[in-house]
């Protein structure tokens, strides 16, 4: 079996992502690896695929119980025999797991680092054929890192005592130069292949919001993104509780997590979030390590984190599935003062004075870096990349600061176009359609409604979406437009008489962008395009099918007691809507469907798709935009343009 075949058969993916192939090639030829890859880049595949190809067992050392359990569930779902050994099991269960491992039942065994000191485990390891040791979250070995775990130091001893030295793969998402050196040196890697895949997460939109009314911001944001799942980080338990109360009273399906809650309560909160029962979670930074939820669409920091390392890691929990997601930091100068105060008061008893001074300086420096991020008027993405040692020069054009402007702008001409457009809609459509039409968005829904043939289609294509959004809401406020109040609110003409007077101007104060820019045409522009959502290809019928498949997934998730995203992630469901598989063989063309999941769930998804297509034979489910330039990543909806049902 080649790595690519393993990737397809077990994980259902067609091609490797950047960096994965070289890492796998190294490991399978026996060369140690240190791979520094950002969250969501796909580290697990880099050791799971070699584990399938090497003889014997792969031991994965991982610091977090929940992460192990999640990974093992996902592997078992993919048809790979794996187990974990940690303190959540009873002694008898542990013995049984080790026995099965010794019999060669498991290809991959996850253990907590503490286990490496257990006599039973060492005895097992001495007899077993261990081909690879994977050190996950390898930065835990460094005292420079944020999450130093003394038990990680035991790994060296453990490996040394094995009868045959296995190949070692070390993986982490956060590594500054110091941490990297530490990992290489402490783990004693031999002639390792070292790779840094880069810290840029293109699908994340960074944004800093100077805000005193943080609650209002959060409430509005959640309201505007009510279908999305998100995390809101607060600095203290008290903040978590307060914000939780506020949102709870507003009827937001929200849960919370902090170290002050008892274990059971925490577990329940976490599960509610993971299983999508509560799409929003408010938490301290105690939450998130080991959370693999792939469809987190936004991470809001209610308070400034204490270091860039923390921020990058926490914000990075957004968009693991590669879909556009937002990372918003709510900044107030007050936070900095509190942070400084806390640093001053930190307890250093037991440390030498010199050491105390060093740590204090380090912490203060970290705080300054973070404050700099909040105050910079430069590109936020580049600020982060530069901090992690990546030279980035050109602004990204996909962050709050790259989109920031301050002037007072005369928007009269644009306002008239908005009015023309609303006239063309005859007051039938809502904000999204009007916006999309004016900007000339390349969306199936617009083609379906025929607004692409309007005179105003693309009339404001040079306008940024948030600006236009702001303009329209201002026009509603000023009475030029009228927005109906029901669930599917539409835009209608208001009193436009004043605009006939030449002296009337619509003036807008432009502060900064509220939303990331989508790719809005402008073919000649050499700016980087913001990522597209895979849902852009879906028509309204497509959305209905997507909803139906999500429902089915939730049903199966309940039956199997698995988080929905372990069954299939959103991207896979969307790809089903695009490709409309009819047979079990077709299903394997869908990204993220491997053989075992096909066998296990395929029939039910096929029936659901068939039922949908039969009930709406004329429905067009997806239209692939000709401009959709997705070449290169090889894992998205790909080529087929699907015309849906048979049609008349
Ligand atoms: P990391 O551990 O680096 O944060 P994961 O290993 O959890 O990232 O992978 C993130 C997501 O990307 C997972 O849903 C995984 O299945 C998916 N993924 C990984 N490699 C590929 C690939 N080659 N093609 C498509 N999806 C992939
Ligand atoms: Zn930028």
């Amino acid at each position: 079996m080649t790595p690519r075949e393993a990737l397809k058969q077990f994980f259902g993916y067609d091609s490797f992502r950047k960096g994965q192939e070289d890492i796998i090639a190294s490991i399978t030829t026996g060369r140690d690896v240190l791979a520094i890859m950002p969250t969501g880049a796909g580290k697990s595949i880099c050791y799971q695929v070699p584990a399938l190809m090497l003889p014997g067992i792969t031991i994965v050392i991982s610091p977090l119980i929940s992460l192990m359990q999640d990974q093992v569930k996902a592997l078992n779902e993919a048809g790979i025999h794996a187990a974990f050994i940690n303190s959540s099991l009873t002694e008898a269960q542990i013995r049984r797991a080790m026995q099965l491992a010794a019999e060669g039942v498991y290809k991959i065994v996850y253990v907590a680092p503490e286990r490496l000191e257990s006599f039973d485990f060492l005895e097992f390891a001495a007899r077993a054929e261990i081909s690879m040791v994977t050190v996950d979250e390898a930065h835990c070995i460094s005292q420079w890192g944020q999450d130093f775990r003394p038990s990680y130091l035991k790994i060296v001893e453990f490996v040394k005592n094995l009868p045959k030295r296995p190949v070692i793969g070390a993986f982490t998402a956060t590594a500054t130069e110091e941490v990297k050196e530490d990992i290489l040196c402490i783990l004693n890697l031999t002639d390792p292949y070292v790779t840094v895949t880069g810290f840029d997460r293109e699908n994340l939109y960074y944004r800093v919001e100077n805000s005193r009314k943080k609650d209002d911001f959060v409430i509005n944001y959640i309201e505007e993104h009510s279908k999305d799942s998100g995390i809101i980080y607060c600095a203290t338990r008290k903040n978590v509780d307060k914000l939780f109360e506020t949102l709870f009273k507003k009827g937001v399906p929200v849960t919370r997590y902090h170290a002050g809650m008892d274990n059971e309560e925490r577990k329940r909160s976490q599960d509610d979030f993971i299983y999508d029962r509560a799409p929003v979670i408010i938490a301290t930074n105690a939450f998130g390590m080991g959370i693999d939820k792939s469809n987190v669409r936004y991470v809001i920091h209610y308070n400034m984190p204490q270091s860039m390392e923390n921020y990058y890691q926490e914000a990075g929990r957004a968009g693991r599935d590669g879909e556009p997601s937002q990372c918003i930091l709510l900044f107030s100068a007050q936070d900095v003062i509190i942070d400084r105060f806390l640093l001053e008061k930190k307890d250093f008893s037991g440390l030498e004075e010199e050491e105390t001074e060093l740590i204090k300086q380090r912490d203060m420096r970290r705080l300054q870096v973070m404050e700099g991020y909040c105050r910079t008027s430069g590109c936020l993405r580049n600020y982060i990349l530069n901090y992690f040692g990546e030279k980035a020069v050109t602004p990204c054009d996909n962050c709050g600061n790259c989109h920031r402007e301050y002037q007072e702008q005369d928007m009269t001409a644009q306002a008239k176009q908005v009015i023309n457009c609303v006239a063309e809609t005859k007051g039938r459509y809502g904000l999204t359609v009007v916006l999309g039409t004016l900007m000339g968005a390349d969306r199936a829904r617009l083609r379906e409604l025929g607004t692409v043939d309007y005179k105003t289609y693309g009339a404001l294509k040079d306008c940024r979406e948030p600006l236009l959004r702001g303009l329209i809401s201002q026009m509603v406020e000023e009475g030029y437009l009228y927005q109906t109040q029901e669930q599917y609110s539409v835009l209608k003409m208001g009193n436009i008489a004043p605009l006939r007077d030449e002296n009337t101007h619509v003036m807008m104060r432009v502060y900064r962008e509220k939303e990331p820019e989508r790719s809005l045409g402008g073919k000649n522009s050499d700016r980087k395009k913001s990522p597209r959502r895979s849902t852009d290809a879906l028509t309204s019928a497509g959305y209905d099918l997507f909803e139906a498949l999500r429902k089915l997934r939730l049903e199966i998730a309940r039956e199997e007691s698995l988080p929905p995203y372990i069954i299939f992630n959103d991207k896979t469901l969307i790809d089903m809507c695009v490709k409309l598989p009819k047979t079990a063989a077709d299903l394997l063309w869908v990204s993220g469907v491997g053989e075992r999941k096909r066998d296990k769930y395929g029939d039910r998804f096929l029936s659901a798709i068939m039922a949908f297509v039969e009930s709406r034979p004329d429905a067009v489910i997806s239209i692939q935009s000709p401009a959709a330039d997705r070449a290169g990543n090889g894992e998205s909806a790909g080529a087929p343009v699907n015309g849906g049902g048979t049609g008349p």
Side-chain angles (χ1 to χ4, degrees):
M1 190 166 47
T2 65
R4 197 173 278 256
E5 283 162 1
L7 183 72
K8 182 74 190 159
Q9 180 185 335
F10 290 99
F11 301 97
Y13 299 131
D14 287 324
S15 54
F16 285 107
R17 284 185 182 161
K18 210 165 107 195
Q20 288 178 329
E21 213 155 11
D22 292 339
I23 295 170
I24 293 170
S26 267
I27 295 175
T28 49
T29 50
R31 184 172 173 195
D32 290 348
V33 162
L34 166 58
I36 300 166
M37 299 164 85
T39 313
K43 285 184 282 294
S44 335
I45 296 274
C46 296
Y47 58 81
Q48 289 166 351
V49 167
L52 291 168
M53 312 188 54
L54 294 169
I57 302 174
T58 289
I59 301 282
V60 182
I61 297 154
S62 167
L64 292 148
I65 291 181
S66 64
L67 189 83
M68 284 186 219
Q69 293 171 341
D70 231 40
Q71 293 263 358
V72 167
K73 269 183 208 164
L75 284 169
N76 288 335
E77 278 298 296
I80 298 165
H81 295 287
F84 58 80
I85 298 178
N86 62 35
S87 56
S88 74
L89 303 179
T90 62
E91 278 305 315
Q93 284 171 320
I94 291 176
R95 245 177 284 121
R96 172 108 185 107
M98 282 199 288
Q99 190 188 343
L100 289 173
E103 287 166 16
V105 171
Y106 303 124
K107 282 308 282 179
I108 305 181
V109 177
Y110 284 78
V111 299
E114 290 77 13
R115 188 62 43 191
L116 305 179
E117 298 166 77
S118 125
F119 178 75
D120 286 348
F121 185 77
L122 292 177
E123 209 183 40
F124 149 76
R127 280 181 286 115
E129 184 186 3
I130 295 174
S131 306
M132 170 170 38
V133 169
T134 295
V135 184
D136 202 10
E137 312 285 352
H139 60 278
C140 291
I141 207 165
S142 167
Q143 308 200 37
W144 285 102
Q146 298 281 298
D147 324 284
F148 174 56
R149 302 270 297 227
S151 50
Y152 258 60
L153 297 170
K154 307 282 181 219
I155 298 171
V156 190
E157 193 66 17
F158 169 74
V159 171
K160 223 196 271 163
N161 288 332
L162 290 174
K164 186 170 157 262
R165 187 188 185 277
V167 56
I168 299 181
F171 294 86
T172 178
T174 44
T176 51
E177 203 50 40
E178 294 143 339
V179 175
K180 190 170 126 190
E181 288 306 318
D182 262 5
I183 296 173
L184 286 171
C185 169
I186 299 173
L187 276 181
N188 237 327
L189 301 185
T190 352
D191 176 35
Y193 170 67
V194 180
T195 169
V196 183
T197 327
F199 284 87
D200 192 15
R201 303 266 317 273
E202 281 177 19
N203 62 319
L204 299 188
Y205 181 92
Y206 298 101
R207 171 176 163 196
V208 174
E209 200 65 35
N210 267 291
S211 172
R212 251 173 264 152
K213 298 185 170 168
K214 294 181 175 185
D215 285 3
D216 291 352
F217 179 92
V218 169
I219 291 165
N220 279 335
Y221 190 89
I222 295 179
E223 223 163 68
E224 278 171 27
H225 299 82
S226 58
K227 287 213 157 162
D228 292 343
S229 182
I231 305 174
I232 299 165
Y233 279 111
C234 297
T236 61
R237 298 172 192 180
K238 214 172 90 197
N239 280 354
V240 169
D241 289 336
K242 240 178 71 200
L243 187 59
F244 173 80
E245 295 291 326
T246 309
L247 291 176
F248 190 78
K249 279 197 198 119
K250 291 245 165 211
V252 178
V254 66
T255 183
R256 66 179 143 178
Y257 189 103
H258 58 63
M261 297 155 59
D262 66 45
N263 272 343
E264 203 170 302
E265 226 183 328
R266 279 211 308 256
K267 171 95 173 70
R268 191 164 357 105
S269 297
Q270 181 171 319
D271 282 353
D272 283 347
F273 179 65
I274 287 176
Y275 288 81
D276 279 335
R277 291 187 289 262
V280 180
I281 192 163
I282 322 242
T284 60
N285 62 6
F287 174 78
M289 270 293 249
I291 298 298
D292 243 344
K293 193 175 197 308
S294 64
N295 64 338
V296 176
R297 286 280 76 83
Y298 58 88
V299 172
I300 297 177
H301 277 77
Y302 193 87
N303 305 103
M304 189 180 87
Q306 299 202 336
S307 74
M308 190 47 96
E309 283 85 353
N310 283 352
Y311 185 61
Y312 183 79
Q313 193 166 53
E314 288 159 17
R317 297 193 172 114
R320 292 179 78 117
D321 53 8
E323 291 283 293
S325 308
Q326 296 208 23
C327 307
I328 303 168
L329 200 162
L330 304 182
F331 175 67
S332 72
Q334 188 67 20
D335 286 349
V336 183
I337 298 169
I338 294 173
D339 278 338
R340 289 230 176 93
F341 175 75
L342 289 177
L343 279 192
E344 289 302 323
K345 288 195 54 172
K346 206 163 162 181
D347 181 19
F348 289 108
S349 47
L351 286 186
E352 299 289 324
E353 195 173 324
E354 203 177 327
E355 207 171 344
T356 307
E357 214 32 58
L358 247 153
I359 298 178
K360 267 194 178 163
Q361 277 173 17
R362 187 196 66 182
D363 288 352
M364 201 50 94
R365 168 90 196 110
R366 285 185 169 152
L367 211 56
Q368 278 166 4
V369 167
M370 224 32 246
E371 190 182 346
Y373 176 79
C374 297
R375 295 197 188 272
T376 180
S377 58
C379 171
L380 294 172
R381 181 182 314 277
N382 289 356
Y383 190 98
I384 298 175
L385 294 180
N386 286 332
Y387 178 71
F388 287 114
E390 265 177 58
K391 296 268 165 297
V393 249
T394 31
C396 74
D397 197 35
N398 187 29
C399 76
N401 280 3
C402 281
H403 292 175
R404 179 159 69 169
E405 281 173 44
Y406 282 105
Q407 323 90 325
E408 172 104 321
Q409 214 168 312
D410 187 339
M411 299 290 283
T412 316
Q414 289 87 339
K416 287 183 176 163
Q417 290 291 4
V418 172
I419 285 169
N420 291 342
C421 183
V422 172
E424 279 184 287
T425 68
K426 303 199 175 68
R428 286 170 301 172
Y429 306 134
L431 179 64
T432 317
V433 170
V434 171
L435 265 176
T437 303
L438 282 165
M439 292 190 316
D442 186 10
R443 242 178 262 151
R445 175 86 180 127
L446 300 183
R447 253 167 275 148
E448 202 178 23
L449 295 174
T451 69
V452 293
D453 297 316
Y454 285 0
K455 284 210 194 76
T456 50
Y457 179 76
L460 298 180
K461 66 171 184 295
D462 294 328
C463 219
R464 287 171 298 109
E465 178 179 311
L467 186 67
L468 204 47
R469 219 178 249 279
L471 174 64
I472 294 176
S473 73
Q474 186 173 326
M475 288 172 73
V476 171
E477 250 168 64
E478 292 176 354
Y480 298 122
L481 294 175
Y482 172 69
Q483 190 162 24
T484 62
Q485 296 295 325
E486 74 268 30
Q487 192 189 358
Y488 297 106
S489 96
V490 298
L491 284 173
K492 292 182 181 298
M493 209 63 87
N495 176 18
I496 56 169
L499 275 181
R500 301 221 168 87
D501 182 346
E502 267 179 23
N503 297 319
T504 310
H505 290 269
V506 179
M507 298 302 290
M508 227 184 129
R509 266 196 139 164
V510 185
Y511 286 106
R512 60 167 64 182
E513 189 108 335
K514 287 276 192 241
E515 291 278 333
E517 199 171 277
R518 301 269 178 82
S519 49
L520 313 168
K523 292 207 179 69
N524 301 327
S525 114
D526 51 2
R527 294 155 139 207
K528 262 198 248 167
K529 287 236 177 76
S530 328
R532 298 169 58 94
R533 285 196 181 212
S534 344
T535 46
D536 279 357
L538 299 183
T539 62
S540 59
Y543 270 98
D544 292 346
L545 176 57
F546 179 44
E547 276 308 318
L549 297 184
R550 274 162 66 122
K551 232 186 231 154
L552 173 60
R553 175 179 65 181
L554 197 61
E555 197 180 299
I556 296 176
R558 299 235 157 99
E559 289 165 19
E560 303 273 335
S561 305
L562 285 173
Y565 61 86
I566 285 193
I567 313 275
F568 288 127
N569 65 24
D570 282 0
K571 240 183 163 154
T572 299
L573 297 189
I574 293 165
D575 206 24
M576 282 189 198
C577 298
V578 171
K579 297 199 173 124
L580 295 181
K582 294 196 180 62
T583 64
D586 292 351
L587 261 179
L588 289 180
W589 288 103
V590 174
S591 171
V593 183
E595 288 180 10
R596 145 101 186 186
K597 287 193 188 176
R598 191 246 342 237
D599 295 345
K600 197 163 169 199
Y601 307 122
D603 284 348
R604 292 174 72 177
F605 281 91
L606 285 175
S607 319
I609 293 168
M610 182 126 61
F612 185 88
V613 172
E614 273 170 9
S615 72
R616 302 188 37 189
D618 298 335
V620 173
I621 291 174
S622 74
I623 304 174
Q624 194 70 278
S625 120
D629 167 17
R630 302 202 178 155
N633 71 10
E635 59 186 71
S636 58
V641 173
N642 210 315
T646 46

